[in-house]
Amino acid sequence: MTQTIAQCALQGAAELLSRYQRGERHFPQSCLEYAFLRGADLRHADLQGSDLHGANLRYANLRGSNMANADLRCADLRYADLEGARLEGANLSGSQYNHSTCFPAGFDPAAAGMQLLEF
């Protein structure tokens, strides 16, 4: 899901976090491949269709966020809070989770191709 710069709503973790802190929540189609977002508070952020391939989202608060159709392949979601998040159509293959990762009700990480890691 590679996007050109012109197609991106924003680029990079620093811009995302800065705009989020200013109260913005709408970031669809963002280029955040391999972004370092460890521990980020992104509750209710709209990241629909964003490229989060390989992103470090360990300990991130993504409660109620919209990540439908996002590319989350190989992302680190260990200890992340995804309760109430929209993940329809998201590609989570190869992404990592652990028993402390909170998922939306009824979500099956194994069926989504995620890897359980406990270290």
Side-chain angles (χ1 to χ4, degrees):
M1 171 189 198
T2 304
Q3 300 172 341
T4 65
I5 291 173
Q7 295 172 314
C8 295
L10 63 81
Q11 290 188 22
E15 183 180 353
L16 169 69
L17 295 173
S18 175
R19 289 170 57 180
Y20 185 91
Q21 288 175 345
R22 292 192 308 263
E24 209 173 321
R25 298 293 180 265
H26 191 66
F27 309 104
Q29 306 295 322
S30 295
C31 296
L32 297 163
E33 188 175 21
Y34 298 103
F36 186 80
L37 294 164
R38 182 181 175 132
D41 181 357
L42 295 170
R43 288 172 287 177
H44 304 287
D46 181 1
L47 294 162
Q48 183 173 354
S50 291
D51 184 354
L52 289 152
H53 176 229
N56 183 339
L57 293 161
R58 194 186 300 196
Y59 296 101
N61 186 346
L62 296 158
R63 207 174 253 258
S65 63
N66 180 3
M67 293 184 289
N69 301 310
D71 182 356
L72 288 154
R73 290 173 297 136
C74 303
D76 187 349
L77 292 164
R78 290 176 286 172
Y79 304 97
D81 185 351
L82 297 161
E83 190 173 324
R86 291 192 52 213
L87 296 170
E88 300 87 7
N91 185 346
L92 289 148
S93 62
S95 60
Q96 304 165 350
Y97 73 101
N98 61 11
H99 289 296
S100 295
T101 304
C102 295
F103 290 104
F107 182 81
D108 182 353
M114 297 179 75
Q115 299 175 349
L116 176 63
L117 295 179
E118 283 303 325
F119 57 89

